[in-house]
Amino acid sequence: MRIAVGGIHTECSTYSPVLMQDADFRVLRGEGLTGHEYFAFLKNHTAEVAPLLHARAVPGGPVARDTYDRFKAEFLERLEAAKPFDAVYLAMHGAMKVDGMFDAEGDWISAVRAAVGPDMLIATSYDLHGNVSQRIIDQIDIFAAYRTAPHIDTPETMEAAYAMLLRAVETGARPGVVRVPVPLLLPGERSSTEDEPGRSLYAALPSREGPSVWRTDLMIGYVWADEPRATACAVVTGTDLAATKAAGTAIAADFWAARDRFRFGPVTGPLPEMLALAEKATTRPVILADSGDNPTGGGVGDRADVLAALIARDWQDALIAGITDRPAVEACFAAGQGARLTLKIGASLDPAGVSANAQVEVIRLDEGTTPAEWQAVVRTRGITLVLAARRRPYHDLADFTKLGLDPKAARLVVVKSGYLSPDLAPIANPNLMALTDGVVNQDIPKLANLHRAAGTVPWAESPGFAPDPQPSVRFRA
Ligand SMILES: [Zn+2]
């Protein structure tokens, strides 16, 4: 048995003006794919792998059209060259926006289907923040999505999709997929599976599975995508149409019934309110999430709103990690460690953002392997600040320790994040989330809504809802 493996994986705020380019993607090709830790699960199975291309980027703005076209053309070339194979596995995110195109995954997966013909099985794995269109469902046979947010089940999900594919090829079973849209979009920050009702809804998914229902998933969808396909939905893979539809209907109905119970996990509010709370805190570290500019949610990551607010308050003992500003980083490298200089920090990528001027001392320079990976640690009065040349999160403890920084020791740590990562959440004492501005801000009802389906909550009043299961046209009942 021989399986073709590849895909494209990113999440794009359609409100960001900063287009993703080739260099924003980590591209795995051929042996580089099969040998990569991300695809380590492939080694648990005896099937031969035909590795194609897998492109993955930190979430951000829309993908430039020529970048997308290049990746797609190379993927299809490799797919053609890898023939013959028995099935295709695609590792996707599901919320990619390509500049000037709606439903980019629909475009990619349809091209794969056209290349392999109608008889071949295609399995996909997704992030639960993907937006799944019926066009996608109509091209695939097997689907699995994360069941945790923060995402701690990525390898398990990828392997679940892959194992179903192997099972189908081995046994000759012909599974199919059913989608049940739910006219609702929630931000990830209000639908963490660490908190109710998400925790119980996701914990209940396996109980809907059985001999003819292979996999049950609940897609929260991606709220910062103003696209016709943007919606929550249940997606179920099974071999019996009636049972698969019934499982999807039940999942969709349970989600809809719980819609008014979704809340932010941490104490959340406007930035001045959160800073007032942080000022009164007697424990440390207070970890403040700058939610509107979270790069892992698609934010630009270059805004200095919180820095400016802390400077205005003459805040003592804060660690901000980090702000993306390549010109500022280059100025620090040019000045050298120990130098003092005046910097404009912020709004280097999105001129509509907020910047701050500060006199800084360069504490540490970190070169990485390319200038795009340069980082500078600077100090301005009571604030230690990490500047990064590229868009990136600081969500792992290792991101701090590599720079000689100890987030546990700081009075206030500011990260560009929504819900905190599994590394940071346990040390937050307490965790606060600021409703800051940015291209992934939490003021969802005010987001421009030109393209989403009419009747989607919260842009529409909560209507009545009757689940309408939509099987893939490929589902053989
Ligand atoms: Zn996600």
Side-chain angles (χ1 to χ4, degrees):
M1 200 194 310
R2 184 170 145 86
I3 312 292
V5 174
I8 185 163
H9 187 291
T10 193
E11 174 181 71
C12 310
S13 168
T14 64
Y15 301 101
S16 171
V18 185
L19 296 188
M20 283 194 222
Q21 316 284 343
D22 295 42
D24 291 307
F25 285 83
R26 176 198 76 194
V27 185
L28 304 176
R29 298 176 165 92
E31 301 296 304
L33 186 158
T34 33
H36 198 278
E37 162 191 28
Y38 188 68
F39 285 101
F41 70 91
L42 294 171
K43 295 196 178 70
N44 301 341
H45 304 272
T46 52
E48 185 192 340
V49 174
L52 308 174
L53 167 143
H54 191 263
R56 179 173 183 164
V58 171
V63 179
R65 182 63 192 250
D66 58 336
T67 292
Y68 174 78
D69 287 344
R70 268 193 294 278
F71 285 141
K72 183 181 159 194
E74 185 186 339
F75 181 90
L76 293 173
E77 244 168 62
R78 287 174 176 272
L79 186 72
E80 211 50 55
K83 287 177 178 176
F85 44 78
D86 299 293
V88 180
Y89 163 60
L90 300 173
M92 311 296 279
H93 177 288
M96 176 168 57
K97 167 74 180 174
V98 172
D99 196 26
M101 180 194 288
F102 286 137
D103 196 3
E105 281 85 0
D107 178 73
W108 184 285
I109 296 171
S110 298
V112 175
R113 171 57 66 201
V116 300
D119 296 328
M120 188 167 291
L121 293 174
I122 299 178
T124 60
S125 59
Y126 262 56
D127 184 307
L128 62 84
H129 299 123
N131 288 321
V132 183
S133 66
Q134 194 62 26
R135 183 182 181 205
I136 291 165
I137 294 293
D138 284 343
Q139 306 300 332
I140 63 172
D141 308 282
I142 289 166
F143 183 95
Y146 305 157
R147 287 169 168 174
T148 60
H151 308 312
I152 52 172
D153 63 340
T154 301
E156 291 87 344
T157 303
M158 295 169 75
E159 185 162 16
Y162 191 70
M164 284 191 280
L165 186 62
L166 299 185
R167 175 181 169 187
V169 175
E170 267 163 18
T171 62
R174 296 295 300 199
V177 182
V178 171
R179 168 181 174 266
V180 190
V182 181
L184 168 67
L185 279 166
L186 292 166
E189 288 64 34
R190 283 203 280 129
S191 49
S192 164
T193 60
E194 308 266 302
D195 305 319
E196 293 297 348
R199 183 202 294 255
S200 298
L201 288 170
Y202 278 88
L205 288 177
S207 69
R208 305 271 183 206
E209 295 170 355
S212 59
V213 178
W214 287 14
R215 175 80 187 190
T216 49
D217 285 299
L218 172 59
M219 303 297 291
I220 295 294
Y222 184 65
V223 73
W224 295 284
D226 189 10
E227 287 209 346
R229 68 169 176 172
T231 184
C233 59
V235 179
V236 180
T237 302
T239 49
D240 177 83
L241 181 58
T244 306
K245 280 166 114 174
T249 299
I251 293 162
D254 286 352
F255 180 52
W256 181 254
R259 69 190 179 282
D260 293 331
R261 294 198 288 124
F262 288 91
R263 300 272 183 276
F264 292 120
V267 173
T268 301
L271 179 59
E273 239 174 66
M274 295 302 100
L275 290 181
L277 284 177
E279 224 154 27
K280 283 188 215 136
T282 53
T283 55
R284 64 169 60 198
V286 175
I287 301 190
L288 177 77
D290 173 6
S291 64
D293 197 30
N294 169 22
T296 63
V300 177
D302 73 338
R303 298 180 63 105
D305 310 54
V306 182
L307 172 64
L310 292 179
I311 290 174
R313 284 170 178 256
D314 196 20
W315 188 281
Q316 296 306 308
D317 197 355
L319 170 57
I320 304 180
I323 297 175
T324 298
D325 192 324
R326 188 160 181 167
V329 170
E330 287 173 353
C332 292
F333 270 73
Q337 195 166 312
R340 291 170 194 273
L341 67 162
T342 303
L343 286 178
K344 170 187 169 277
I345 298 163
S348 64
L349 292 171
D350 180 0
V354 165
S355 64
N357 293 307
Q359 279 199 306
V360 307
E361 180 188 353
V362 180
I363 303 298
R364 186 179 175 129
L365 299 169
D366 186 88
E367 287 198 8
T369 48
T370 65
E373 289 175 14
W374 282 1
Q375 300 172 81
V377 180
V378 301
R379 191 166 296 146
T380 176
R381 291 188 280 188
I383 302 165
T384 303
L385 167 66
V386 181
L387 296 168
R390 66 178 168 93
R391 296 181 55 256
R392 53 160 295 168
Y394 289 83
H395 292 179
D396 295 338
L397 287 174
D399 298 333
F400 293 84
T401 52
K402 258 187 226 161
L403 297 170
L405 300 169
D406 180 6
K408 287 180 201 151
R411 179 180 167 217
L412 172 67
V413 178
V414 179
V415 286
K416 291 186 183 291
S417 185
Y419 46 61
L420 292 187
S421 66
D423 252 21
L424 294 182
I427 66 163
N429 190 17
N431 170 207
L432 304 173
M433 188 164 79
L435 296 172
T436 42
D437 206 354
V439 302
V440 293
N441 75 72
Q442 297 286 336
D443 197 356
I444 306 301
K446 292 225 181 82
L447 294 177
N449 181 43
L450 303 175
H451 304 294
R452 295 181 191 86
T456 304
V457 177
W459 298 277
E461 287 294 305
S462 194
F465 170 60
D468 177 20
Q470 298 170 7
S472 168
V473 293
R474 297 177 52 75
F475 207 121
R476 299 184 190 170

